[in-house]
Amino acid sequence: MAFHSSLLLSQILLLFMVASSPWTSATYPIQQTFFRCLSTNSKNSVPLSSYYTPNNVSSFTSVLNSTANNLRYLLPTVPKPVIIFTPLSELHVQTAVLCSRQLGLTLRVRSGGHDYEAVSYVSQIEPTFVVLDLCQLRAIEVDIPRGTAWAQAGATNGEVYYRIAEKSKVHGFPMGLCTSLGVGGHITGGAYGSMMRKFGLGVDNVIDVRMVDAKGKILDRKAMGEDLFWALRGGGGGSFGIILAWKLKLVNVPETVTVFTVAKALEQGATKVLYKWQNVAPKLDDRLFIRVIIQASSANLTANRTVLTAYNALFLGDANTLLGIMGKRFPELGLTRADCVETSWIGSVLYIAGYPNTTAPEVLLQGKPLFRNYFKAKSDFVRTPIPEEGLLGLWKIYLEEEVPFMIWNPYGGAMARVPESATPFPHRRGTLFKIQYVATWQDGTQSMARHMSWIGKLYDYMGNYVSKNPREAYVNYRDLDLGMNKKGVNSMMEASSWGLRYFKSNFYRLIKVKTRVDPDNVFRHEQSIPPLPVKKGN
Ligand SMILES: Cc1cc2nc3c(=O)[nH]c(=O)nc-3n(C[C@H](O)[C@H](O)[C@H](O)COP(=O)(O)OP(=O)(O)OC[C@H]3O[C@@H](n4cnc5c(N)ncnc54)[C@H](O)[C@@H]3O)c2cc1C
Ligand SMILES: *[C@@H]1O[C@H](CO)[C@@H](O)[C@H](O)[C@H]1NC(C)=O
Ligand SMILES: *[C@@H]1O[C@H](CO)[C@@H](O)[C@H](O)[C@H]1NC(C)=O
Ligand SMILES: *[C@@H]1O[C@H](CO)[C@@H](O)[C@H](O)[C@H]1NC(C)=O
Ligand SMILES: *[C@@H]1O[C@H](CO)[C@@H](O)[C@H](O)[C@H]1NC(C)=O
Ligand SMILES: *[C@@H]1O[C@H](CO)[C@@H](O)[C@H](O)[C@H]1NC(C)=O
C-alpha cells in the first residue's frame, strides 16, 4: 500500500509544496521547517492536506476538536499544539519521530482522543509541541479461520467490533464498552469491557504489535522482545513508542447473548441491593457481568431528588439460563423475563454503549461518541464491601452535585486468574470492583471550580472504604491530581505517587524497560514512565 516515490520526485514535490504553501517563513518558521524535514526524509510523499497549522484556524481547530473527548481541554486558555500531522502511512510516523528529534520538538500521540487529561493533544509541560494524530491509520483485517485480527492504532474499538461481527456471529473481542475509543491508546492501558469476567482485558488477548521506537525503527513482538511487549500491554500510552497496530486473538461468543437494565431508587431499597451486589457480583458465573450506573434523579438541586442505581448487564448465554442464575444468587434485584433482551454479541455492544435499540451496527463505523462533556473523573478499586452506613454517607455527598455519575464495575472471574505481574495492569485477585467517579457540566469555566471541588470531596470521603497502600487507580482513567512529571525533568518521587497507584510494583519494571528502550525520554507527557537518569561517562 505504501507509495515509494523516488528521491527526485519527492524533491520536486517539496519544491512545489513549499513554493505554493500559504506560510511565510517569518510567521511560521517551525511549521515550515518541520514540514520540510518530513518531505525531504520521507520516502512516502507528505501531502499538505495531512499537515495542519494555526495559519488556517478553521481547519486546524476542526482537526484538533475532531476526537478531543474532554471539552475542558479545548478551552481557549489551554495550550495548543503548533502543528497537527495526520500520517497516512507507517513511513510517515517513522519520519515524524526522526524529524521531531532532529528539531527538538516534542511529539504528542493521539489515536482516539479519549485521554481524560488530554495528554495526547495538550502539553502543560512543554511550550512547543506537535500532535501526531493517527486518525488516518485505521485499517482492520479480520482473519476468522485463524481467529485473529490486526487493527491499526487509529481504529476505534467500535469499528473493530463491527468488522469482527460482519464476518462472524460467534467471534468477538473483549475491550471497552464505550465504542469511540482509539485502540492505540485504549489497549495500552488495559482495556476492560463487558466480557472481562469471562476473558479478561484487551491486553490479556493481544498477541502481537507493530510499534515505532525512539530511533524511528518499526518493531514487532519478536524484534522488541518480551520485556517491551509486556510493558506495552498495560503500562499506559505515550511512554515507549508509537503503536501502529495491534494483533488481537479473537474470543468465542455464543450466537445469543442476553442484556438487561434494572433500576432501583433509594426508596426501592437501592442501598440494601447495592450492598448485596458488592458481595455477589464478583463471584457470579464468569459469563455474567453486571455493572451499576449510579446517577441522581434530576439535576435540580432544590427538587426532591433521589439516587438511582441502574444494574446494566451482559450475560454470554440465553435468558432462561440467566434467570436461573439470578434467582439463585441475586433474587434481591428481582430480574424478570420481561427485563431480558436476547440479542447477538454486536447487539449487546450497541446496547451496553447506550444506543437506542433501533440503531443499526453501522453507527459504529462513524467512530463518534454519543455525547461530549466538560468532565473530571477519578477511580478507585474496592477490596472489601462498603457497609450500608458508608453508602448512606456517600448518598449525602452525592446529592450535593447536579449531575453526579458513577460506574461500579465487577471484577472476579478471569480478572482474578491473571497474576498481578503478568501484565503491568495489577488490579487483579482480591479486587471486588472498580469505581469510576465523574463530574460533568456544560457551561465551560463558569461552574468548573465547584465541580472539581465536589469530586475532590467525594474522593476524600471514599478513602475510608477503598484499596490502601497504595490507593489504586486505573491508568486509562488518567488523573493528574495524583501527580505529574514536571517540565523536562522527571522526579522519581513525584512519579511514584501516580506510578504505584496505577501499576503497583510493576512500576519498577516499567521504569527499567523505559530506561533501556527510551533513555532520552523522547516519548514523554505529564504521566509518562520516567527513565532512570543516564550515568555520566557512558
Ligand atoms: C467516554 C469514555 C469511555 C471510556 N470507556 C472505557 C471502557 O469501557 N473501558 C476502558 O478500559 N477504558 C475506557 N475509557 C478510557 C480509555 O480507555 C482511555 O481514555 C484510553 O487511553 C483512550 O485511548 P484513545 O486512543 O482514545 O485516547 P488518546 O487520547 O488518543 O490516547 C490516550 C493515551 O495513549 C497515548 N497514545 C495514543 N495513541 C497511541 C499510540 N498509537 N501509541 C502509543 N501511545 C498512544 C496517548 O499519548 C495518551 O497517553 C473511556 C474513556 C472515555 C472518555
Ligand atoms: C483552510 O482549510 C480549509 C479546509 O481544509 C480550506 O477549505 C480553506 O480553503 C483553507 N483556507 C485557507 C485560507 O487556506
Ligand atoms: C472547537 O472547540 C472550541 C471550544 O469548545 C469551540 O469554540 C470551537 O467552535 C470548536 N470548533 C470546531 C470546528 O468544532
Ligand atoms: C427546582 O425544583 C424546585 C422545587 O421542586 C422548583 O420550585 C424549581 O422551579 C425548580 N427549578 C428548575 C430550574 O427547574
Ligand atoms: C420525594 O420523592 C419520593 C420519590 O421519588 C417520594 O417517595 C417522596 O414522597 C417525595 N417526598 C416529598 C416530600 O415530596
Ligand atoms: C425496542 O425497545 C422497545 C421498548 O423499550 C420495544 O418495544 C421494541 O420492541 C424494541 N425493538 C427492537 C427492534 O428490539
Side-chain angles (χ1 to χ4, degrees):
M1 283 225 306
F3 167 59
H4 294 266
S5 59
S6 70
L7 190 63
L8 187 64
L9 178 58
S10 73
Q11 278 166 345
I12 293 167
L13 277 172
L14 170 70
L15 283 173
F16 172 74
M17 282 167 183
V18 172
S20 68
S21 88
W23 317 309
T24 59
S25 48
T27 337
Y28 293 102
I30 301 167
Q31 285 82 355
Q32 206 155 33
T33 316
F34 191 65
F35 187 76
R36 188 174 292 139
C37 180
L38 289 176
S39 301
T40 34
N41 291 296
S42 181
K43 285 188 216 128
N44 189 355
S45 72
V46 177
L48 257 181
S49 60
S50 61
Y51 195 75
Y52 301 83
T53 77
N55 187 43
N56 185 334
V57 174
S58 76
S59 63
F60 185 76
T61 311
S62 135
V63 73
L64 182 66
N65 282 16
S66 60
T67 59
N69 196 260
N70 191 347
L71 296 180
R72 188 154 63 89
Y73 283 103
L74 286 178
L75 286 165
T77 48
V78 169
K80 303 289 184 282
V82 292
I83 294 159
I84 302 170
F85 176 42
T86 59
L88 303 178
S89 65
E90 294 188 336
L91 271 170
H92 284 172
V93 178
Q94 294 178 276
T95 313
V97 169
L98 295 173
C99 288
S100 69
R101 290 196 73 169
Q102 194 179 316
L103 301 172
L105 281 169
T106 308
L107 278 188
R108 292 299 175 110
V109 187
R110 185 164 81 169
S111 289
H114 280 55
D115 194 281
Y116 279 19
E117 305 276 15
V119 306
S120 54
Y121 55 96
V122 173
S123 172
Q124 302 179 48
I125 54 177
E126 311 277 351
T128 307
F129 62 99
V130 173
V131 169
L132 195 68
D133 187 325
L134 304 184
C135 60
Q136 299 292 337
L137 298 180
R138 59 196 312 142
I140 298 163
E141 275 170 35
V142 177
D143 184 343
I144 293 296
R146 289 200 171 79
T148 59
W150 273 103
Q152 278 190 305
T156 61
N157 60 334
E159 288 171 294
V160 173
Y161 297 154
Y162 181 89
R163 293 300 172 202
I164 296 169
E166 181 184 47
K167 289 202 167 162
S168 164
K169 289 192 170 75
V170 293
H171 288 81
F173 189 74
M175 57 181 162
L177 306 140
C178 160
T179 52
S180 50
L181 311 171
V183 298
H186 177 48
I187 295 180
T188 55
Y192 81 85
S194 54
M195 298 199 291
M196 63 188 274
R197 302 193 65 254
K198 175 74 180 163
F199 299 113
L201 303 171
V203 291
D204 300 329
N205 294 279
V206 156
I207 50 178
D208 205 343
V209 69
R210 287 173 69 75
M211 187 198 87
V212 175
D213 73 3
K215 295 185 182 122
K217 277 211 295 238
I218 293 180
L219 305 176
D220 64 4
R221 177 177 186 168
K222 194 158 169 252
M224 72 176 60
E226 287 304 300
D227 222 24
L228 177 52
F229 187 61
W230 171 87
L232 296 181
R233 285 172 298 151
S239 283
F240 300 99
I242 302 177
I243 307 289
L244 296 168
W246 293 106
K247 186 176 188 183
L248 316 174
K249 179 167 62 69
L250 305 182
V251 299
N252 291 111
V253 296
E255 254 187 85
T256 301
V257 306
T258 307
V259 289
F260 70 81
T261 305
V262 171
K264 291 263 185 271
L266 288 186
E267 303 74 31
Q268 298 167 304
T271 307
K272 284 202 153 45
V273 178
L274 188 59
Y275 181 74
K276 178 74 189 279
W277 173 89
Q278 300 180 73
N279 291 282
V280 296
K283 295 178 197 136
L284 289 170
D285 189 305
D286 293 1
R287 292 171 296 173
L288 180 51
F289 169 88
I290 310 177
R291 64 172 177 161
V292 195
I293 300 170
I294 305 178
Q295 291 167 282
S297 57
S298 90
N300 181 343
L301 289 181
T302 57
N304 177 15
R305 301 165 92 212
T306 185
V307 174
L308 293 175
T309 57
Y311 293 79
N312 176 244
L314 167 67
F315 177 62
L316 295 167
D318 62 27
N320 281 338
T321 314
L322 170 63
L323 286 164
I325 295 171
M326 291 296 282
K328 258 195 225 108
R329 304 292 310 279
F330 196 14
E332 294 81 356
L333 190 61
L335 183 73
T336 66
R337 180 64 184 82
D339 297 319
C340 300
V341 179
E342 287 187 333
T343 182
S344 59
W345 172 70
I346 197 71
S348 80
V349 164
L350 293 167
Y351 180 92
I352 299 278
Y355 288 100
N357 68 355
T358 47
T359 313
E362 281 68 29
V363 73
L364 299 173
L365 298 178
Q366 293 170 13
K368 291 245 177 350
L370 271 167
F371 51 82
R372 286 201 288 180
N373 285 315
Y374 295 84
F375 73 89
K376 171 69 195 173
K378 302 175 89 67
S379 61
D380 262 320
F381 289 86
V382 179
R383 294 175 164 267
T384 49
I386 302 170
E388 285 185 40
E389 315 85 76
L391 297 175
L392 295 176
L394 167 59
W395 305 146
K396 266 178 75 180
I397 299 174
Y398 212 59
L399 292 172
E400 290 170 9
E401 173 77 359
E402 281 107 325
V403 192
F405 189 71
M406 280 196 290
I407 299 183
W408 291 23
N409 212 106
Y411 273 56
M415 291 302 294
R417 291 192 288 270
V418 178
E420 212 167 275
S421 61
T423 71
F425 182 98
H427 324 287
R428 304 279 189 170
R429 178 181 294 282
T431 299
L432 296 179
F433 59 99
K434 182 189 68 197
I435 301 180
Q436 170 173 215
Y437 315 93
V438 192
T440 66
W441 62 98
Q442 293 293 344
D443 65 0
T445 49
Q446 213 180 326
S447 65
M448 181 153 82
R450 187 156 49 78
H451 302 294
M452 299 292 256
S453 123
W454 171 77
I455 201 167
K457 179 176 171 183
L458 180 64
Y459 190 70
D460 286 348
Y461 171 79
M462 291 302 288
N464 292 323
Y465 302 107
V466 300
S467 64
K468 292 184 183 63
N469 305 312
R471 183 174 180 178
E472 297 164 50
Y474 180 31
V475 66
N476 261 353
Y477 292 162
R478 193 182 305 291
D479 179 1
L480 295 183
D481 297 350
L482 304 179
M484 59 190 254
N485 298 326
K486 298 281 167 357
K487 271 194 177 26
V489 207
N490 296 298
S491 143
M492 282 296 159
M493 277 280 272
E494 181 74 12
S496 53
S497 79
W498 48 266
L500 293 173
R501 291 167 193 262
Y502 292 153
F503 310 113
K504 299 176 82 171
S505 58
N506 294 328
F507 185 51
Y508 303 114
R509 183 167 169 200
L510 289 169
I511 292 172
K512 269 194 209 154
V513 176
K514 171 75 177 181
T515 307
R516 183 171 61 77
V517 305
D518 184 18
D520 298 328
N521 208 14
V522 171
F523 301 109
R524 62 180 184 268
H525 57 69
E526 285 72 4
Q527 285 185 342
S528 55
I529 306 292
L532 292 169
V534 185
K535 287 193 204 83
K536 291 266 184 252
N538 276 5

